[in-house]
PDB file of all heavy atoms in Angstrom:
ATOM      1  N   VAL A   1     -18.182   3.112  30.581  1.00  0.00           N
ATOM      2  CA  VAL A   1     -18.173   2.558  29.225  1.00  0.00           C
ATOM      3  C   VAL A   1     -16.878   1.802  28.953  1.00  0.00           C
ATOM      4  O   VAL A   1     -15.886   1.933  29.685  1.00  0.00           O
ATOM      5  CB  VAL A   1     -18.337   3.682  28.175  1.00  0.00           C
ATOM      6  CG1 VAL A   1     -19.637   4.438  28.376  1.00  0.00           C
ATOM      7  CG2 VAL A   1     -17.153   4.649  28.215  1.00  0.00           C
ATOM      8  N   GLU A   2     -16.901   1.006  27.883  1.00  0.00           N
ATOM      9  CA  GLU A   2     -15.698   0.309  27.440  1.00  0.00           C
ATOM     10  C   GLU A   2     -14.680   1.325  26.921  1.00  0.00           C
ATOM     11  O   GLU A   2     -15.041   2.303  26.274  1.00  0.00           O
ATOM     12  CB  GLU A   2     -16.045  -0.684  26.326  1.00  0.00           C
ATOM     13  CG  GLU A   2     -17.029  -1.773  26.737  1.00  0.00           C
ATOM     14  CD  GLU A   2     -16.436  -2.729  27.753  1.00  0.00           C
ATOM     15  OE1 GLU A   2     -15.187  -2.856  27.790  1.00  0.00           O
ATOM     16  OE2 GLU A   2     -17.204  -3.356  28.506  1.00  0.00           O
ATOM     17  N   ASP A   3     -13.401   1.082  27.217  1.00  0.00           N
ATOM     18  CA  ASP A   3     -12.337   1.992  26.774  1.00  0.00           C
ATOM     19  C   ASP A   3     -11.840   1.539  25.392  1.00  0.00           C
ATOM     20  O   ASP A   3     -10.787   0.911  25.252  1.00  0.00           O
ATOM     21  CB  ASP A   3     -11.201   2.003  27.799  1.00  0.00           C
ATOM     22  CG  ASP A   3     -10.137   3.040  27.451  1.00  0.00           C
ATOM     23  OD1 ASP A   3     -10.460   3.979  26.702  1.00  0.00           O
ATOM     24  OD2 ASP A   3      -8.995   2.885  27.917  1.00  0.00           O
ATOM     25  N   ARG A   4     -12.638   1.871  24.373  1.00  0.00           N
ATOM     26  CA  ARG A   4     -12.266   1.504  23.010  1.00  0.00           C
ATOM     27  C   ARG A   4     -12.843   2.524  22.032  1.00  0.00           C
ATOM     28  O   ARG A   4     -13.738   3.316  22.392  1.00  0.00           O
ATOM     29  CB  ARG A   4     -12.750   0.101  22.668  1.00  0.00           C
ATOM     30  CG  ARG A   4     -14.242  -0.131  22.853  1.00  0.00           C
ATOM     31  CD  ARG A   4     -14.598  -1.570  22.504  1.00  0.00           C
ATOM     32  NE  ARG A   4     -15.947  -1.939  22.889  1.00  0.00           N
ATOM     33  CZ  ARG A   4     -17.043  -1.678  22.175  1.00  0.00           C
ATOM     34  NH1 ARG A   4     -16.938  -0.982  21.044  1.00  0.00           N
ATOM     35  NH2 ARG A   4     -18.219  -2.085  22.587  1.00  0.00           N
ATOM     36  N   SER A   5     -12.329   2.502  20.818  1.00  0.00           N
ATOM     37  CA  SER A   5     -12.757   3.460  19.816  1.00  0.00           C
ATOM     38  C   SER A   5     -14.216   3.225  19.422  1.00  0.00           C
ATOM     39  O   SER A   5     -14.716   2.098  19.469  1.00  0.00           O
ATOM     40  CB  SER A   5     -11.864   3.353  18.574  1.00  0.00           C
ATOM     41  OG  SER A   5     -11.985   2.057  18.000  1.00  0.00           O
ATOM     42  N   GLY A   6     -14.878   4.298  19.030  1.00  0.00           N
ATOM     43  CA  GLY A   6     -16.248   4.207  18.571  1.00  0.00           C
ATOM     44  C   GLY A   6     -17.293   4.362  19.642  1.00  0.00           C
ATOM     45  O   GLY A   6     -18.482   4.523  19.345  1.00  0.00           O
ATOM     46  N   VAL A   7     -16.887   4.312  20.906  1.00  0.00           N
ATOM     47  CA  VAL A   7     -17.864   4.392  21.994  1.00  0.00           C
ATOM     48  C   VAL A   7     -18.515   5.775  22.040  1.00  0.00           C
ATOM     49  O   VAL A   7     -19.733   5.906  22.141  1.00  0.00           O
ATOM     50  CB  VAL A   7     -17.205   4.054  23.341  1.00  0.00           C
ATOM     51  CG1 VAL A   7     -18.179   4.324  24.492  1.00  0.00           C
ATOM     52  CG2 VAL A   7     -16.748   2.614  23.366  1.00  0.00           C
ATOM     53  N   LEU A   8     -17.686   6.817  21.975  1.00  0.00           N
ATOM     54  CA  LEU A   8     -18.223   8.168  22.050  1.00  0.00           C
ATOM     55  C   LEU A   8     -19.180   8.434  20.893  1.00  0.00           C
ATOM     56  O   LEU A   8     -20.225   9.072  21.077  1.00  0.00           O
ATOM     57  CB  LEU A   8     -17.078   9.187  22.047  1.00  0.00           C
ATOM     58  CG  LEU A   8     -17.490  10.657  22.175  1.00  0.00           C
ATOM     59  CD1 LEU A   8     -18.300  10.874  23.458  1.00  0.00           C
ATOM     60  CD2 LEU A   8     -16.253  11.557  22.189  1.00  0.00           C
ATOM     61  N   ALA A   9     -18.847   7.935  19.723  1.00  0.00           N
ATOM     62  CA  ALA A   9     -19.730   8.130  18.568  1.00  0.00           C
ATOM     63  C   ALA A   9     -21.071   7.442  18.785  1.00  0.00           C
ATOM     64  O   ALA A   9     -22.139   8.000  18.461  1.00  0.00           O
ATOM     65  CB  ALA A   9     -19.058   7.597  17.305  1.00  0.00           C
ATOM     66  N   ALA A  10     -21.050   6.233  19.342  1.00  0.00           N
ATOM     67  CA  ALA A  10     -22.293   5.509  19.599  1.00  0.00           C
ATOM     68  C   ALA A  10     -23.154   6.243  20.626  1.00  0.00           C
ATOM     69  O   ALA A  10     -24.383   6.323  20.498  1.00  0.00           O
ATOM     70  CB  ALA A  10     -21.978   4.097  20.081  1.00  0.00           C
ATOM     71  N   VAL A  11     -22.505   6.772  21.648  1.00  0.00           N
ATOM     72  CA  VAL A  11     -23.226   7.520  22.690  1.00  0.00           C
ATOM     73  C   VAL A  11     -23.836   8.799  22.094  1.00  0.00           C
ATOM     74  O   VAL A  11     -25.005   9.113  22.334  1.00  0.00           O
ATOM     75  CB  VAL A  11     -22.282   7.853  23.860  1.00  0.00           C
ATOM     76  CG1 VAL A  11     -22.926   8.879  24.797  1.00  0.00           C
ATOM     77  CG2 VAL A  11     -21.919   6.588  24.624  1.00  0.00           C
ATOM     78  N   ALA A  12     -23.037   9.531  21.314  1.00  0.00           N
ATOM     79  CA  ALA A  12     -23.530  10.770  20.711  1.00  0.00           C
ATOM     80  C   ALA A  12     -24.698  10.496  19.776  1.00  0.00           C
ATOM     81  O   ALA A  12     -25.661  11.286  19.706  1.00  0.00           O
ATOM     82  CB  ALA A  12     -22.399  11.461  19.954  1.00  0.00           C
ATOM     83  N   THR A  13     -24.648   9.378  19.053  1.00  0.00           N
ATOM     84  CA  THR A  13     -25.739   9.013  18.156  1.00  0.00           C
ATOM     85  C   THR A  13     -27.036   8.784  18.920  1.00  0.00           C
ATOM     86  O   THR A  13     -28.125   9.178  18.475  1.00  0.00           O
ATOM     87  CB  THR A  13     -25.373   7.741  17.366  1.00  0.00           C
ATOM     88  OG1 THR A  13     -24.217   8.000  16.565  1.00  0.00           O
ATOM     89  CG2 THR A  13     -26.524   7.300  16.473  1.00  0.00           C
ATOM     90  N   LYS A  14     -26.925   8.165  20.089  1.00  0.00           N
ATOM     91  CA  LYS A  14     -28.127   7.914  20.895  1.00  0.00           C
ATOM     92  C   LYS A  14     -28.767   9.232  21.351  1.00  0.00           C
ATOM     93  O   LYS A  14     -30.003   9.355  21.359  1.00  0.00           O
ATOM     94  CB  LYS A  14     -27.762   7.051  22.103  1.00  0.00           C
ATOM     95  CG  LYS A  14     -28.952   6.538  22.884  1.00  0.00           C
ATOM     96  CD  LYS A  14     -29.883   5.717  22.023  1.00  0.00           C
ATOM     97  CE  LYS A  14     -29.249   4.431  21.515  1.00  0.00           C
ATOM     98  NZ  LYS A  14     -30.225   3.600  20.751  1.00  0.00           N
ATOM     99  N   PHE A  15     -27.952  10.218  21.702  1.00  0.00           N
ATOM    100  CA  PHE A  15     -28.494  11.541  22.049  1.00  0.00           C
ATOM    101  C   PHE A  15     -29.187  12.158  20.839  1.00  0.00           C
ATOM    102  O   PHE A  15     -30.273  12.731  20.951  1.00  0.00           O
ATOM    103  CB  PHE A  15     -27.369  12.452  22.549  1.00  0.00           C
ATOM    104  CG  PHE A  15     -27.033  12.272  24.001  1.00  0.00           C
ATOM    105  CD1 PHE A  15     -26.081  11.336  24.406  1.00  0.00           C
ATOM    106  CD2 PHE A  15     -27.669  13.022  24.974  1.00  0.00           C
ATOM    107  CE1 PHE A  15     -25.772  11.164  25.739  1.00  0.00           C
ATOM    108  CE2 PHE A  15     -27.364  12.862  26.323  1.00  0.00           C
ATOM    109  CZ  PHE A  15     -26.412  11.923  26.716  1.00  0.00           C
ATOM    110  N   ALA A  16     -28.549  12.051  19.677  1.00  0.00           N
ATOM    111  CA  ALA A  16     -29.105  12.644  18.467  1.00  0.00           C
ATOM    112  C   ALA A  16     -30.436  12.011  18.084  1.00  0.00           C
ATOM    113  O   ALA A  16     -31.341  12.685  17.577  1.00  0.00           O
ATOM    114  CB  ALA A  16     -28.104  12.519  17.320  1.00  0.00           C
ATOM    115  N   GLU A  17     -30.573  10.709  18.312  1.00  0.00           N
ATOM    116  CA  GLU A  17     -31.809  10.013  17.976  1.00  0.00           C
ATOM    117  C   GLU A  17     -33.014  10.615  18.694  1.00  0.00           C
ATOM    118  O   GLU A  17     -34.139  10.580  18.188  1.00  0.00           O
ATOM    119  CB  GLU A  17     -31.689   8.529  18.344  1.00  0.00           C
ATOM    120  CG  GLU A  17     -30.805   7.729  17.410  1.00  0.00           C
ATOM    121  CD  GLU A  17     -30.662   6.292  17.872  1.00  0.00           C
ATOM    122  OE1 GLU A  17     -31.310   5.932  18.895  1.00  0.00           O
ATOM    123  OE2 GLU A  17     -29.918   5.530  17.236  1.00  0.00           O
ATOM    124  N   HIS A  18     -32.771  11.163  19.873  1.00  0.00           N
ATOM    125  CA  HIS A  18     -33.864  11.741  20.657  1.00  0.00           C
ATOM    126  C   HIS A  18     -33.855  13.266  20.630  1.00  0.00           C
ATOM    127  O   HIS A  18     -34.543  13.910  21.433  1.00  0.00           O
ATOM    128  CB  HIS A  18     -33.783  11.226  22.097  1.00  0.00           C
ATOM    129  CG  HIS A  18     -33.985   9.747  22.210  1.00  0.00           C
ATOM    130  ND1 HIS A  18     -35.225   9.158  22.169  1.00  0.00           N
ATOM    131  CD2 HIS A  18     -33.082   8.721  22.318  1.00  0.00           C
ATOM    132  CE1 HIS A  18     -35.092   7.841  22.281  1.00  0.00           C
ATOM    133  NE2 HIS A  18     -33.802   7.554  22.372  1.00  0.00           N
ATOM    134  N   ASP A  19     -33.073  13.828  19.700  1.00  0.00           N
ATOM    135  CA  ASP A  19     -33.016  15.276  19.505  1.00  0.00           C
ATOM    136  C   ASP A  19     -32.579  16.005  20.776  1.00  0.00           C
ATOM    137  O   ASP A  19     -33.099  17.071  21.109  1.00  0.00           O
ATOM    138  CB  ASP A  19     -34.383  15.804  19.038  1.00  0.00           C
ATOM    139  CG  ASP A  19     -34.268  17.179  18.383  1.00  0.00           C
ATOM    140  OD1 ASP A  19     -33.185  17.501  17.849  1.00  0.00           O
ATOM    141  OD2 ASP A  19     -35.261  17.932  18.410  1.00  0.00           O
ATOM    142  N   VAL A  20     -31.621  15.412  21.473  1.00  0.00           N
ATOM    143  CA  VAL A  20     -31.054  16.020  22.672  1.00  0.00           C
ATOM    144  C   VAL A  20     -29.632  16.468  22.350  1.00  0.00           C
ATOM    145  O   VAL A  20     -28.805  15.667  21.908  1.00  0.00           O
ATOM    146  CB  VAL A  20     -31.042  15.042  23.861  1.00  0.00           C
ATOM    147  CG1 VAL A  20     -30.317  15.667  25.058  1.00  0.00           C
ATOM    148  CG2 VAL A  20     -32.460  14.644  24.239  1.00  0.00           C
ATOM    149  N   SER A  21     -29.367  17.742  22.583  1.00  0.00           N
ATOM    150  CA  SER A  21     -28.052  18.307  22.272  1.00  0.00           C
ATOM    151  C   SER A  21     -27.121  18.195  23.476  1.00  0.00           C
ATOM    152  O   SER A  21     -27.527  18.451  24.621  1.00  0.00           O
ATOM    153  CB  SER A  21     -28.195  19.773  21.858  1.00  0.00           C
ATOM    154  OG  SER A  21     -26.943  20.372  21.648  1.00  0.00           O
ATOM    155  N   ILE A  22     -25.866  17.817  23.220  1.00  0.00           N
ATOM    156  CA  ILE A  22     -24.866  17.707  24.281  1.00  0.00           C
ATOM    157  C   ILE A  22     -24.163  19.044  24.464  1.00  0.00           C
ATOM    158  O   ILE A  22     -23.669  19.632  23.508  1.00  0.00           O
ATOM    159  CB  ILE A  22     -23.831  16.613  23.940  1.00  0.00           C
ATOM    160  CG1 ILE A  22     -24.499  15.240  23.896  1.00  0.00           C
ATOM    161  CG2 ILE A  22     -22.688  16.616  24.950  1.00  0.00           C
ATOM    162  CD1 ILE A  22     -23.574  14.124  23.446  1.00  0.00           C
ATOM    163  N   GLU A  23     -24.113  19.520  25.710  1.00  0.00           N
ATOM    164  CA  GLU A  23     -23.420  20.778  26.012  1.00  0.00           C
ATOM    165  C   GLU A  23     -21.941  20.525  26.267  1.00  0.00           C
ATOM    166  O   GLU A  23     -21.077  21.179  25.692  1.00  0.00           O
ATOM    167  CB  GLU A  23     -24.057  21.449  27.231  1.00  0.00           C
ATOM    168  CG  GLU A  23     -23.395  22.752  27.634  1.00  0.00           C
ATOM    169  CD  GLU A  23     -24.065  23.395  28.837  1.00  0.00           C
ATOM    170  OE1 GLU A  23     -25.295  23.592  28.808  1.00  0.00           O
ATOM    171  OE2 GLU A  23     -23.349  23.682  29.818  1.00  0.00           O
ATOM    172  N   THR A  24     -21.637  19.589  27.144  1.00  0.00           N
ATOM    173  CA  THR A  24     -20.236  19.253  27.435  1.00  0.00           C
ATOM    174  C   THR A  24     -20.101  17.752  27.600  1.00  0.00           C
ATOM    175  O   THR A  24     -21.044  17.051  27.999  1.00  0.00           O
ATOM    176  CB  THR A  24     -19.731  19.927  28.726  1.00  0.00           C
ATOM    177  OG1 THR A  24     -20.484  19.447  29.851  1.00  0.00           O
ATOM    178  CG2 THR A  24     -19.841  21.443  28.649  1.00  0.00           C
ATOM    179  N   VAL A  25     -18.909  17.232  27.297  1.00  0.00           N
ATOM    180  CA  VAL A  25     -18.603  15.824  27.532  1.00  0.00           C
ATOM    181  C   VAL A  25     -17.167  15.724  28.034  1.00  0.00           C
ATOM    182  O   VAL A  25     -16.280  16.425  27.538  1.00  0.00           O
ATOM    183  CB  VAL A  25     -18.806  14.971  26.256  1.00  0.00           C
ATOM    184  CG1 VAL A  25     -17.930  15.466  25.122  1.00  0.00           C
ATOM    185  CG2 VAL A  25     -18.538  13.499  26.547  1.00  0.00           C
ATOM    186  N   ARG A  26     -16.962  14.902  29.037  1.00  0.00           N
ATOM    187  CA  ARG A  26     -15.637  14.744  29.631  1.00  0.00           C
ATOM    188  C   ARG A  26     -15.379  13.258  29.838  1.00  0.00           C
ATOM    189  O   ARG A  26     -16.283  12.512  30.223  1.00  0.00           O
ATOM    190  CB  ARG A  26     -15.586  15.499  30.961  1.00  0.00           C
ATOM    191  CG  ARG A  26     -14.254  15.451  31.684  1.00  0.00           C
ATOM    192  CD  ARG A  26     -14.202  16.560  32.745  1.00  0.00           C
ATOM    193  NE  ARG A  26     -15.373  16.561  33.598  1.00  0.00           N
ATOM    194  CZ  ARG A  26     -15.446  15.935  34.773  1.00  0.00           C
ATOM    195  NH1 ARG A  26     -14.398  15.244  35.212  1.00  0.00           N
ATOM    196  NH2 ARG A  26     -16.529  16.002  35.515  1.00  0.00           N
ATOM    197  N   GLN A  27     -14.155  12.822  29.580  1.00  0.00           N
ATOM    198  CA  GLN A  27     -13.817  11.412  29.729  1.00  0.00           C
ATOM    199  C   GLN A  27     -12.729  11.232  30.771  1.00  0.00           C
ATOM    200  O   GLN A  27     -11.764  11.977  30.809  1.00  0.00           O
ATOM    201  CB  GLN A  27     -13.349  10.818  28.393  1.00  0.00           C
ATOM    202  CG  GLN A  27     -12.976   9.350  28.483  1.00  0.00           C
ATOM    203  CD  GLN A  27     -12.708   8.725  27.130  1.00  0.00           C
ATOM    204  OE1 GLN A  27     -13.325   9.095  26.142  1.00  0.00           O
ATOM    205  NE2 GLN A  27     -11.782   7.775  27.092  1.00  0.00           N
ATOM    206  N   GLN A  28     -12.921  10.227  31.610  1.00  0.00           N
ATOM    207  CA  GLN A  28     -11.934   9.857  32.610  1.00  0.00           C
ATOM    208  C   GLN A  28     -11.620   8.373  32.447  1.00  0.00           C
ATOM    209  O   GLN A  28     -12.540   7.555  32.322  1.00  0.00           O
ATOM    210  CB  GLN A  28     -12.463  10.104  34.035  1.00  0.00           C
ATOM    211  CG  GLN A  28     -12.724  11.556  34.370  1.00  0.00           C
ATOM    212  CD  GLN A  28     -13.333  11.706  35.755  1.00  0.00           C
ATOM    213  OE1 GLN A  28     -13.936  10.783  36.276  1.00  0.00           O
ATOM    214  NE2 GLN A  28     -13.160  12.880  36.347  1.00  0.00           N
ATOM    215  N   VAL A  29     -10.347   8.023  32.435  1.00  0.00           N
ATOM    216  CA  VAL A  29      -9.947   6.624  32.347  1.00  0.00           C
ATOM    217  C   VAL A  29      -9.688   6.092  33.751  1.00  0.00           C
ATOM    218  O   VAL A  29      -8.945   6.697  34.531  1.00  0.00           O
ATOM    219  CB  VAL A  29      -8.692   6.451  31.478  1.00  0.00           C
ATOM    220  CG1 VAL A  29      -8.266   4.983  31.453  1.00  0.00           C
ATOM    221  CG2 VAL A  29      -8.958   6.949  30.061  1.00  0.00           C
ATOM    222  N   VAL A  30     -10.317   4.971  34.086  1.00  0.00           N
ATOM    223  CA  VAL A  30     -10.146   4.345  35.391  1.00  0.00           C
ATOM    224  C   VAL A  30      -9.844   2.869  35.182  1.00  0.00           C
ATOM    225  O   VAL A  30      -9.928   2.348  34.073  1.00  0.00           O
ATOM    226  CB  VAL A  30     -11.418   4.512  36.262  1.00  0.00           C
ATOM    227  CG1 VAL A  30     -11.689   5.962  36.552  1.00  0.00           C
ATOM    228  CG2 VAL A  30     -12.619   3.867  35.563  1.00  0.00           C
ATOM    229  N   THR A  31      -9.501   2.196  36.244  1.00  0.00           N
ATOM    230  CA  THR A  31      -9.273   0.751  36.167  1.00  0.00           C
ATOM    231  C   THR A  31     -10.230   0.040  37.101  1.00  0.00           C
ATOM    232  O   THR A  31     -10.570   0.554  38.182  1.00  0.00           O
ATOM    233  CB  THR A  31      -7.830   0.391  36.561  1.00  0.00           C
ATOM    234  OG1 THR A  31      -7.560   0.909  37.874  1.00  0.00           O
ATOM    235  CG2 THR A  31      -6.838   1.000  35.574  1.00  0.00           C
ATOM    236  N   ASP A  32     -10.683  -1.134  36.657  1.00  0.00           N
ATOM    237  CA  ASP A  32     -11.595  -1.889  37.502  1.00  0.00           C
ATOM    238  C   ASP A  32     -10.809  -2.702  38.530  1.00  0.00           C
ATOM    239  O   ASP A  32      -9.590  -2.573  38.643  1.00  0.00           O
ATOM    240  CB  ASP A  32     -12.505  -2.782  36.650  1.00  0.00           C
ATOM    241  CG  ASP A  32     -11.714  -3.813  35.837  1.00  0.00           C
ATOM    242  OD1 ASP A  32     -10.558  -4.105  36.199  1.00  0.00           O
ATOM    243  OD2 ASP A  32     -12.267  -4.329  34.849  1.00  0.00           O
ATOM    244  N   GLU A  33     -11.497  -3.562  39.280  1.00  0.00           N
ATOM    245  CA  GLU A  33     -10.858  -4.335  40.351  1.00  0.00           C
ATOM    246  C   GLU A  33      -9.782  -5.285  39.825  1.00  0.00           C
ATOM    247  O   GLU A  33      -8.865  -5.659  40.549  1.00  0.00           O
ATOM    248  CB  GLU A  33     -11.930  -5.116  41.122  1.00  0.00           C
ATOM    249  CG  GLU A  33     -12.907  -4.217  41.877  1.00  0.00           C
ATOM    250  CD  GLU A  33     -13.971  -5.019  42.586  1.00  0.00           C
ATOM    251  OE1 GLU A  33     -13.987  -6.260  42.411  1.00  0.00           O
ATOM    252  OE2 GLU A  33     -14.780  -4.423  43.317  1.00  0.00           O
ATOM    253  N   GLU A  34      -9.899  -5.668  38.556  1.00  0.00           N
ATOM    254  CA  GLU A  34      -8.921  -6.581  37.965  1.00  0.00           C
ATOM    255  C   GLU A  34      -7.832  -5.855  37.203  1.00  0.00           C
ATOM    256  O   GLU A  34      -6.992  -6.483  36.553  1.00  0.00           O
ATOM    257  CB  GLU A  34      -9.650  -7.561  37.042  1.00  0.00           C
ATOM    258  CG  GLU A  34     -10.683  -8.420  37.766  1.00  0.00           C
ATOM    259  CD  GLU A  34     -11.436  -9.326  36.822  1.00  0.00           C
ATOM    260  OE1 GLU A  34     -11.202  -9.204  35.597  1.00  0.00           O
ATOM    261  OE2 GLU A  34     -12.245 -10.136  37.299  1.00  0.00           O
ATOM    262  N   GLY A  35      -7.851  -4.517  37.246  1.00  0.00           N
ATOM    263  CA  GLY A  35      -6.823  -3.730  36.589  1.00  0.00           C
ATOM    264  C   GLY A  35      -7.073  -3.449  35.129  1.00  0.00           C
ATOM    265  O   GLY A  35      -6.219  -2.867  34.437  1.00  0.00           O
ATOM    266  N   ALA A  36      -8.232  -3.824  34.627  1.00  0.00           N
ATOM    267  CA  ALA A  36      -8.553  -3.567  33.219  1.00  0.00           C
ATOM    268  C   ALA A  36      -8.970  -2.111  33.049  1.00  0.00           C
ATOM    269  O   ALA A  36      -9.653  -1.545  33.909  1.00  0.00           O
ATOM    270  CB  ALA A  36      -9.665  -4.492  32.758  1.00  0.00           C
TER     271      ALA A  36
END
């Protein structure tokens, strides 16, 4: 995903839309080939 604010909320909303509960969530920051 994009490393910016609001992403986790958008993802969680998509789970909620389908009545799927999240047990755990973990985030890792990585860099792409261009260093972004």
Side-chain angles (χ1 to χ4, degrees):
V1 301
E2 299 293 335
D3 186 21
R4 55 181 169 83
S5 62
V7 172
L8 182 57
V11 168
T13 298
K14 189 58 65 176
F15 277 89
E17 286 177 3
H18 296 281
D19 199 26
V20 174
S21 176
I22 295 175
E23 179 179 307
T24 63
V25 59
R26 181 163 50 94
Q27 180 172 327
Q28 295 176 337
V29 178
V30 297
T31 56
D32 61 20
E33 294 178 355
E34 299 177 355

